[in-house]
PDB file of all heavy atoms in Angstrom:
ATOM      1  N   CYS G 319      16.564   1.055   2.588  1.00 97.00           N
ATOM      2  CA  CYS G 319      16.999   1.911   1.423  1.00 97.00           C
ATOM      3  C   CYS G 319      16.872   3.330   1.840  1.00 97.00           C
ATOM      4  O   CYS G 319      16.010   3.684   2.585  1.00 97.00           O
ATOM      5  CB  CYS G 319      16.180   1.649   0.218  1.00 97.00           C
ATOM      6  SG  CYS G 319      16.161  -0.006  -0.386  1.00 97.00           S
ATOM      7  N   GLY G 320      17.621   4.211   1.183  1.00 97.00           N
ATOM      8  CA  GLY G 320      17.421   5.671   1.330  1.00 97.00           C
ATOM      9  C   GLY G 320      17.475   6.154   2.750  1.00 97.00           C
ATOM     10  O   GLY G 320      18.390   5.764   3.505  1.00 97.00           O
ATOM     11  N   THR G 321      16.562   6.985   3.086  1.00 98.00           N
ATOM     12  CA  THR G 321      16.550   7.597   4.397  1.00 98.00           C
ATOM     13  C   THR G 321      16.401   6.521   5.508  1.00 98.00           C
ATOM     14  O   THR G 321      17.066   6.573   6.559  1.00 98.00           O
ATOM     15  CB  THR G 321      15.371   8.565   4.564  1.00 98.00           C
ATOM     16  OG1 THR G 321      15.701   9.774   3.771  1.00 98.00           O
ATOM     17  CG2 THR G 321      15.062   8.983   5.938  1.00 98.00           C
ATOM     18  N   SER G 322      15.648   5.458   5.239  1.00 98.00           N
ATOM     19  CA  SER G 322      15.470   4.391   6.184  1.00 98.00           C
ATOM     20  C   SER G 322      16.776   3.712   6.500  1.00 98.00           C
ATOM     21  O   SER G 322      17.095   3.237   7.581  1.00 98.00           O
ATOM     22  CB  SER G 322      14.450   3.368   5.710  1.00 98.00           C
ATOM     23  OG  SER G 322      13.227   3.965   5.491  1.00 98.00           O
ATOM     24  N   THR G 366      11.433   0.340   6.805  1.00 98.00           N
ATOM     25  CA  THR G 366      10.826   0.933   5.613  1.00 98.00           C
ATOM     26  C   THR G 366       9.606   1.715   5.972  1.00 98.00           C
ATOM     27  O   THR G 366       8.738   1.309   6.688  1.00 98.00           O
ATOM     28  CB  THR G 366      10.428  -0.199   4.604  1.00 98.00           C
ATOM     29  OG1 THR G 366       9.632   0.340   3.610  1.00 98.00           O
ATOM     30  CG2 THR G 366       9.807  -1.364   5.259  1.00 98.00           C
ATOM     31  N   GLN G 367       9.639   3.008   5.561  1.00 97.00           N
ATOM     32  CA  GLN G 367       8.431   3.808   5.791  1.00 97.00           C
ATOM     33  C   GLN G 367       7.243   3.242   5.081  1.00 97.00           C
ATOM     34  O   GLN G 367       6.202   3.004   5.732  1.00 97.00           O
ATOM     35  CB  GLN G 367       8.744   5.233   5.272  1.00 97.00           C
ATOM     36  CG  GLN G 367       7.659   6.285   5.486  1.00 97.00           C
ATOM     37  CD  GLN G 367       6.395   6.272   4.729  1.00 97.00           C
ATOM     38  OE1 GLN G 367       5.359   6.218   5.245  1.00 97.00           O
ATOM     39  NE2 GLN G 367       6.533   6.087   3.394  1.00 97.00           N
ATOM     40  N   SER G 368       7.366   2.951   3.739  1.00 94.00           N
ATOM     41  CA  SER G 368       6.224   2.564   2.981  1.00 94.00           C
ATOM     42  C   SER G 368       5.833   1.155   3.142  1.00 94.00           C
ATOM     43  O   SER G 368       4.655   0.783   2.951  1.00 94.00           O
ATOM     44  CB  SER G 368       6.585   2.834   1.457  1.00 94.00           C
ATOM     45  OG  SER G 368       7.579   1.957   1.083  1.00 94.00           O
ATOM     46  N   THR G 371       8.913  -0.968  -0.541  1.00 94.00           N
ATOM     47  CA  THR G 371      10.192  -0.818  -1.372  1.00 94.00           C
ATOM     48  C   THR G 371      10.605  -2.227  -1.815  1.00 94.00           C
ATOM     49  O   THR G 371      10.864  -3.109  -0.974  1.00 94.00           O
ATOM     50  CB  THR G 371      11.264  -0.132  -0.541  1.00 94.00           C
ATOM     51  OG1 THR G 371      10.740   1.086  -0.103  1.00 94.00           O
ATOM     52  CG2 THR G 371      12.505   0.115  -1.309  1.00 94.00           C
ATOM     53  N   VAL G 417       7.701  13.492  -0.725  1.00 92.00           N
ATOM     54  CA  VAL G 417       8.552  12.467  -1.171  1.00 92.00           C
ATOM     55  C   VAL G 417       9.857  12.302  -0.303  1.00 92.00           C
ATOM     56  O   VAL G 417      10.324  11.218   0.051  1.00 92.00           O
ATOM     57  CB  VAL G 417       8.968  12.660  -2.665  1.00 92.00           C
ATOM     58  CG1 VAL G 417      10.154  11.773  -3.079  1.00 92.00           C
ATOM     59  CG2 VAL G 417       7.746  12.374  -3.548  1.00 92.00           C
ATOM     60  N   SER G 419      11.631  11.922   2.850  1.00 97.00           N
ATOM     61  CA  SER G 419      11.167  11.428   4.156  1.00 97.00           C
ATOM     62  C   SER G 419      11.680  12.327   5.323  1.00 97.00           C
ATOM     63  O   SER G 419      12.886  12.694   5.348  1.00 97.00           O
ATOM     64  CB  SER G 419      11.771   9.996   4.337  1.00 97.00           C
ATOM     65  OG  SER G 419      11.227   9.431   5.520  1.00 97.00           O
ATOM     66  N   GLU G 506      18.055  15.692  -2.606  1.00 96.00           N
ATOM     67  CA  GLU G 506      16.770  15.199  -3.145  1.00 96.00           C
ATOM     68  C   GLU G 506      15.801  16.338  -3.547  1.00 96.00           C
ATOM     69  O   GLU G 506      15.208  16.202  -4.552  1.00 96.00           O
ATOM     70  CB  GLU G 506      16.010  14.515  -1.968  1.00 96.00           C
ATOM     71  CG  GLU G 506      16.312  13.054  -1.687  1.00 96.00           C
ATOM     72  CD  GLU G 506      15.522  12.468  -0.544  1.00 96.00           C
ATOM     73  OE1 GLU G 506      15.487  13.084   0.568  1.00 96.00           O
ATOM     74  OE2 GLU G 506      14.949  11.429  -0.700  1.00 96.00           O
ATOM     75  N   ALA G 620      10.688   8.992  -6.525  1.00 84.00           N
ATOM     76  CA  ALA G 620       9.327   8.429  -6.178  1.00 84.00           C
ATOM     77  C   ALA G 620       9.323   8.092  -4.703  1.00 84.00           C
ATOM     78  O   ALA G 620      10.354   7.772  -4.087  1.00 84.00           O
ATOM     79  CB  ALA G 620       9.147   7.083  -6.970  1.00 84.00           C
ATOM     80  N   LYS G 621       8.118   8.186  -4.123  1.00 85.00           N
ATOM     81  CA  LYS G 621       8.044   7.899  -2.709  1.00 85.00           C
ATOM     82  C   LYS G 621       8.205   6.493  -2.370  1.00 85.00           C
ATOM     83  O   LYS G 621       8.779   6.106  -1.364  1.00 85.00           O
ATOM     84  CB  LYS G 621       6.633   8.482  -2.276  1.00 85.00           C
ATOM     85  CG  LYS G 621       6.393   8.314  -0.767  1.00 85.00           C
ATOM     86  CD  LYS G 621       7.132   9.335  -0.038  1.00 85.00           C
ATOM     87  CE  LYS G 621       6.998   9.223   1.494  1.00 85.00           C
ATOM     88  NZ  LYS G 621       8.135   9.777   2.187  1.00 85.00           N
ATOM     89  N   VAL G 623       9.363   2.982  -3.955  1.00 83.00           N
ATOM     90  CA  VAL G 623      10.178   2.529  -5.113  1.00 83.00           C
ATOM     91  C   VAL G 623       9.811   1.029  -5.337  1.00 83.00           C
ATOM     92  O   VAL G 623      10.430   0.212  -4.657  1.00 83.00           O
ATOM     93  CB  VAL G 623      11.653   2.816  -5.020  1.00 83.00           C
ATOM     94  CG1 VAL G 623      12.412   2.248  -6.190  1.00 83.00           C
ATOM     95  CG2 VAL G 623      11.877   4.268  -4.846  1.00 83.00           C
TER      96      VAL G 623
HETATM   97  C1  G6P J 701      12.506   6.391  -1.879  1.00 80.25           C
HETATM   98  C2  G6P J 701      12.090   7.585  -1.110  1.00 80.25           C
HETATM   99  C3  G6P J 701      12.905   7.867   0.098  1.00 80.25           C
HETATM  100  C4  G6P J 701      12.898   6.644   0.972  1.00 80.25           C
HETATM  101  C5  G6P J 701      13.301   5.370   0.237  1.00 80.25           C
HETATM  102  C6  G6P J 701      13.062   4.146   1.040  1.00 80.25           C
HETATM  103  O1  G6P J 701      13.810   6.581  -2.414  1.00 80.25           O
HETATM  104  O2  G6P J 701      12.090   8.753  -1.995  1.00 80.25           O
HETATM  105  O3  G6P J 701      12.455   8.961   0.835  1.00 80.25           O
HETATM  106  O4  G6P J 701      13.813   6.866   2.107  1.00 80.25           O
HETATM  107  O5  G6P J 701      12.602   5.253  -0.993  1.00 80.25           O
HETATM  108  O6  G6P J 701      11.689   4.028   1.235  1.00 80.25           O
HETATM  109  P1  G6P J 701      10.977   3.208   2.384  1.00 80.25           P
HETATM  110  O7  G6P J 701       9.542   3.364   2.124  1.00 80.25           O
HETATM  111  O8  G6P J 701      11.448   1.799   2.214  1.00 80.25           O
HETATM  112  O9  G6P J 701      11.497   3.733   3.654  1.00 80.25           O
END
Side-chain angles (χ1 to χ4, degrees):
C319 303
T321 287
S322 298
T366 166
Q367 186 286 129
S368 63
T371 305
V417 166
S419 185
E506 277 179 310
K621 181 72 183 159
V623 179

